[in-house]
Each structure stands twice: as C-alpha cells, then as structure tokens.
Amino acid sequence: MHYDHILDKRLLRRSFERAATGYDQSAVLQREICDRMLSRLEYIKYVPTRILDAGSGTGYGTRKLIEHYPAAEVIPLDIALTMHDRARRAIAKQLPGWQRWLPFKRQQPKSYLCADIEQLPLREASVGMVWSNLAIQWCNDLGQAFTEAHRVLVNGGLLMFSTFGPDTLKELRQSFKSVDPFSHVNRFTDMHDIGDMLVNSGFSLPVMDMEYITLTYEDVRGVMHDLKAIGAHNVTQGRRRGLTGKGAWQQVIDQYETLRQQGRLPATYEVIYGHAWKPETRTVQLKPETRRKLGLAP
C-alpha cells in the first residue's frame, strides 16, 4: 500500500465526530444505498438472531434492520462516539411515548460499540450477520476487516456490505490532478480485488455487483460541503497539509466547470455491493473399513 493511500484513523474518527450533528441532512446517498441493500435481503432466506451493524453511523441502517428482523438483536458499531449519540436519540423517537420511559426499551440495541471494523471487540462465532453499509472503504487493511468479520460470524453466517469503487468522485480527482500531485480524494478498492479478499479470508460463495450513481450540484462548493458534512473528505496521510491557495482552488473550480451538463455539475459514485457466507462445518462419517485403513479408532 502506498503511503499516501493510508488513512489516518485518528483524523478519520475526528472527522466523523464533527460530522455527526449535520450528517443526516447530507447523507442522502448513504440512505439510498442502505435501502437498496435492504431490498436484496428479500431474496436471501436467512434469519439471524444477532446482527452486527458495522459502521452504523447515526443509526439509519440499525433502525431498518430492527424493522426487518424484529426478533433479532442488532449491535451498532461505529468509530465515532457522537454518531452513537445521534443514533440513540433517533431510535428513541421511533418508540411510542410510553415505551421511552421503560428501563428496557423494546427493540432498542442493548449496547453500542465504539470501535474499529479492523479490530472487532467481539468473541468468535458470536453473530449471525455482519452488515456494513458504506464503511469498509475507511479500512487500511480490507483483508483484515474481512478476516475479523469471518472470525465473529457463526458457521453459516452472512456478511453483507456496500462500499465505493475506484471511479468514485472521479470528476473531483481529475480536477485536482491539474493543480498539484497531492492526494485529495480517498482511494477505493476494485470490485474484483474485494472478491479475492473475501475468498482469501475464508468466505464462500461471494456475490459481487456494481452500479454507478451520479449526484448533481449547482457548484463545486456544494460537492465539497456534502463530503465534509458526512465526514467523507480526504483523510489520507498523503493529503496536502494546510489549505489550498485561492489561485489553485480557482483552478480546480475551472477544471470541474468543464464537466457541467445541463446546468449541473456531476459527482459520480461507483457503488459496490457484496455478500458472502462463512462456510458450514461438516462432519464426515467414515465407514469402519476406511477408518481401519487410516489407522483410526473404531
């Protein structure tokens, strides 16, 4: 991995901590992709008893998973504590008034985990599903994140996720490239490489697919505002230290303006969806004569 592609986790946590208050106003894409993931669950006949929402943010996915699996325990996990604070309030608002005052509120998460997806604070084989909507792109070692997911899943458990691919924010990356050699946009992993990592981490039957979603804006500042509002601005260690000068910033704007279509500026997202299973362990019964040949006890 190139040094300039390594994410600064302390800066990442701080970025999401600051973004929590205004996150929901700008996270239109995150909610849309979450809904598309949820629709895919209709075709997967599997009902877990415990679900880890890895990268739960302000709890939109957590609330939807509780609705979809009312009998399951859902455990939200996020790197930013303030995201959990927002999630708690949002879930409480969904409850009938009288239930908000109960010591054990029905269908509320029992615990919120503040942790890194690459180091899950859960024991082995403790959850039936690991769900992760637009979070694994913030991993420095995606293979390690998949290994951790595999570790905490029960045999036969399901990993389901979405993430961004390399063409994400290609317009912004192209515009900055004409200004300086620094990393201004986070790097994202190719879908085929993700599939290989799943297999190498022990998963079976991986299913991957991809689609492009393009948001449009009035100006470049609108693009940057939304990225900052959801905590998704550049946190790579190879980013430029300090502010981009006015002249260079104007050059970025001018370059981006050449991409304007029908009065709007595009911001493309390559969205990758994937799911895979932790294999079931199978006990093979050997015939007595086969056990004798292998020198095994009868």
Side-chain angles (χ1 to χ4, degrees):
M1 178 183 293
H2 294 295
Y3 177 77
D4 63 346
H5 296 170
I6 297 175
L7 299 174
D8 185 328
K9 287 296 182 76
R10 286 181 298 179
L11 183 62
L12 178 66
R13 178 180 287 108
R14 195 181 314 141
S15 177
F16 282 114
E17 294 277 2
R18 291 172 177 170
T21 303
Y23 183 89
D24 289 330
Q25 285 71 44
S26 299
V28 177
L29 181 63
Q30 283 73 7
R31 290 192 294 273
E32 175 62 26
I33 294 172
C34 182
D35 289 342
R36 296 186 186 194
M37 282 179 66
L38 287 161
S39 68
R40 291 162 187 251
L41 288 176
E42 301 295 337
Y43 304 99
I44 299 175
K45 305 304 179 185
Y46 174 65
V47 182
T49 56
R50 183 178 289 119
I51 303 168
L52 175 66
D53 184 1
S56 53
T58 54
Y60 180 80
T62 300
R63 299 192 296 274
K64 292 294 184 178
L65 287 168
I66 288 172
E67 292 175 9
H68 194 86
Y69 298 107
E73 176 189 356
V74 181
I75 305 171
L77 178 146
D78 201 90
I79 198 170
L81 187 59
T82 53
M83 288 288 187
H84 284 327
D85 292 338
R86 302 291 296 185
R88 285 176 188 270
R89 296 175 200 170
I91 288 179
K93 287 180 181 177
Q94 282 191 326
L95 296 170
W98 62 272
Q99 281 194 24
R100 296 177 195 174
W101 303 102
L102 294 177
F104 299 100
K105 302 177 181 65
R106 180 176 174 270
Q107 291 189 335
Q108 282 218 65
K110 296 177 182 177
S111 59
Y112 289 77
L113 303 180
C114 189
D116 190 337
I117 294 175
E118 295 177 60
Q119 295 176 312
L120 297 176
L122 294 169
R123 68 177 187 275
E124 294 182 14
S126 59
V127 298
M129 178 192 292
V130 175
W131 164 281
S132 186
N133 177 40
L134 295 181
I136 62 172
Q137 67 269 15
W138 304 116
C139 294
N140 277 321
D141 188 342
L142 186 51
Q144 170 64 19
F146 286 152
T147 297
E148 277 290 272
H150 187 276
R151 179 182 66 81
V152 303
L153 279 169
V154 298
N155 292 334
L158 174 65
L159 167 65
M160 192 166 193
F161 63 90
S162 62
T163 187
F164 290 133
D167 277 346
T168 297
L169 298 173
K170 61 183 180 181
E171 299 90 354
L172 187 61
R173 184 179 289 111
Q174 176 184 330
S175 299
F176 270 114
K177 192 177 292 185
S178 64
V179 176
D180 60 44
F182 293 100
S183 167
H184 289 275
V185 181
N186 297 318
R187 299 289 177 178
F188 305 105
T189 307
D190 180 78
M191 179 175 69
H192 301 95
D193 292 334
I194 293 174
D196 290 342
M197 290 180 193
L198 286 169
V199 174
N200 291 337
S201 298
F203 284 98
S204 65
L205 304 175
V207 176
M208 307 289 301
D209 63 300
M210 177 272 288
E211 66 177 337
Y212 287 104
I213 297 178
T214 301
L215 303 183
T216 62
Y217 294 84
E218 290 185 5
D219 52 39
V220 180
R221 286 182 175 83
V223 179
M224 300 304 291
H225 174 270
D226 270 9
L227 291 177
K228 186 174 183 180
I230 62 173
H233 50 296
N234 185 28
V235 291
T236 56
Q237 292 189 7
R239 67 192 183 282
R240 185 184 185 119
R241 308 290 171 161
L243 300 174
T244 301
K246 287 184 179 180
W249 178 240
Q250 187 59 51
Q251 195 174 337
V252 171
I253 293 175
D254 293 344
Q255 183 66 32
Y256 211 132
E257 281 291 339
T258 64
L259 305 175
R260 187 176 289 275
Q261 298 175 2
Q262 299 179 337
R264 305 281 290 182
L265 293 177
T268 299
Y269 292 84
E270 179 185 344
V271 184
I272 295 172
Y273 303 92
H275 71 263
W277 300 86
K278 181 173 179 176
E280 294 272 12
T281 54
R282 296 180 180 178
T283 302
V284 179
Q285 296 293 334
L286 299 177
K287 295 179 180 179
E289 56 269 26
T290 303
R291 296 185 66 84
R292 285 195 296 272
K293 290 179 180 178
L294 295 173
L296 301 174

